[in-house]
Amino acid sequence: MNTNKILVSPSILAADHANIQQEIERVNRSGADWVHVDIMDGVFVPNMSFGFPIVKATKKHSQLPLDVHLMIVNPQNYIQEFIKAGADILTIHYEAVTHLHRAIWQIKNAGVKAGVALNPSTPVSMLEEIIQDVDMVLIMTVNPGFGGQKFIENSYSKIMRCKELILKRNSQALIEVDGGVESHNAAKLINAGVDVMVAGSYIFGAKDYAENVKLLKYPIENAI
Ligand code: DX5
Ligand code: ZN
């Protein structure tokens, strides 16, 4: 059983962007821990989302740290700009950068937490030489690019392999999952070793955001 505190990071990709202030204020009051901000460039992923103005607007209203997930090529070129826009945790994809070690330390040296994200087909073993340097591993539980997709079942064993690697190397990295997360898989994810759950449609599609945040943090064990 994972006894760590479970964090929830609602993904504003699924929010009503015409009412971003109101949406962020609802998240502030929901018991969530972070706000997840998805940046897509139409190159790394086959979709576009939003850029700096929305990150800044979110920062302006958020009382929670901004958990910024870059699904863009050459993320190293935009690190300073995203930090200026308000990122508190900045995550880049393993598949999008050649010099991952350098990019991770650019983020950390700027005083921000650094995360590395893995696509579903990228094995955890690719992180063997960087796991001690990162503050978080984001395991994509769908192929990145869209909200509302089906959770990939292989993710549970991948999370366990990641947890093993973290323990073996004495790393402090948190494990975050992103895609298709809801109350039905929350207990199993927590037991596998997840620390942070990102959820888009499950939170913003709810009537009461606080209720669904609670269901992710404290899922009924046998509801799987
Ligand atoms: C997908 C994004 C996710 C997305 C999750 O590429 O990284 O953060 O918003 O959406 P749901 O929770 O609806 O699967
Ligand atoms: Zn994301």
Side-chain angles (χ1 to χ4, degrees):
M1 180 63 197
N2 182 351
T3 50
N4 291 351
K5 183 177 183 280
I6 304 300
L7 307 180
V8 171
S9 188
S11 166
I12 60 159
L13 188 66
D16 174 3
H17 297 131
N19 291 299
I20 198 71
Q21 176 173 355
Q22 205 185 323
E23 289 282 60
I24 302 301
E25 284 167 356
R26 285 182 76 183
V27 171
N28 287 338
R29 295 192 300 267
S30 71
D33 302 274
W34 297 348
V35 180
H36 187 81
V37 183
D38 286 307
I39 309 293
M40 305 179 182
D41 65 355
V43 181
F44 182 70
V45 288
N47 194 14
M48 294 189 201
S49 56
F50 38 72
F52 301 115
I54 294 285
V55 182
K56 286 181 188 156
T58 304
K59 185 69 180 180
K60 188 170 156 197
H61 300 294
S62 178
Q63 291 162 4
L64 305 173
L66 293 202
D67 167 31
V68 177
H69 175 194
L70 300 185
M71 286 162 275
I72 62 174
V73 297
N74 293 321
Q76 71 280 1
N77 296 346
Y78 302 94
I79 289 169
Q80 295 311 326
E81 203 64 28
F82 278 109
I83 292 173
K84 234 171 64 195
D88 296 283
I89 304 121
L90 193 55
T91 297
I92 57 179
H93 267 262
Y94 167 84
E95 304 83 3
V97 60
T98 306
H99 302 291
L100 180 61
H101 181 274
R102 178 184 289 147
I104 290 292
W105 278 100
Q106 276 172 4
I107 298 171
K108 290 179 57 148
N109 288 336
V112 165
K113 300 274 185 218
V116 58
L118 297 181
N119 281 340
S121 66
T122 304
V124 162
S125 56
M126 302 317 270
L127 300 181
E128 289 224 357
E129 308 306 328
I130 194 82
I131 195 73
Q132 282 128 318
D133 300 272
V134 296
D135 298 300
M136 186 166 82
V137 178
L138 197 184
I139 296 184
M140 287 306 302
T141 44
V142 298
N143 285 294
F146 302 92
Q149 300 183 83
K150 192 174 171 293
F151 180 87
I152 297 172
E153 294 289 319
N154 178 59
S155 307
Y156 299 117
S157 60
K158 188 170 178 181
I159 294 157
M160 289 182 216
R161 282 190 289 282
C162 187
K163 188 73 189 179
E164 270 171 35
L165 178 65
I166 287 170
L167 294 174
K168 190 172 92 189
R169 294 298 175 98
N170 235 335
S171 162
Q172 299 300 308
L174 298 176
I175 301 180
E176 179 175 66
V177 282
D178 185 6
V181 173
E182 40 157 313
S183 62
H184 287 97
N185 46 27
K188 225 169 148 182
L189 288 168
I190 293 168
N191 286 336
V194 164
D195 302 290
V196 191
M197 282 187 270
V198 176
S201 16
Y202 183 69
I203 300 292
F204 289 97
K207 255 208 176 99
D208 179 356
Y209 297 176
E211 178 64 24
N212 282 19
V213 167
K214 204 158 72 197
L215 284 168
L216 288 181
K217 288 192 179 207
Y218 311 104
I220 303 151
E221 291 287 328
N222 49 16
I224 321 158

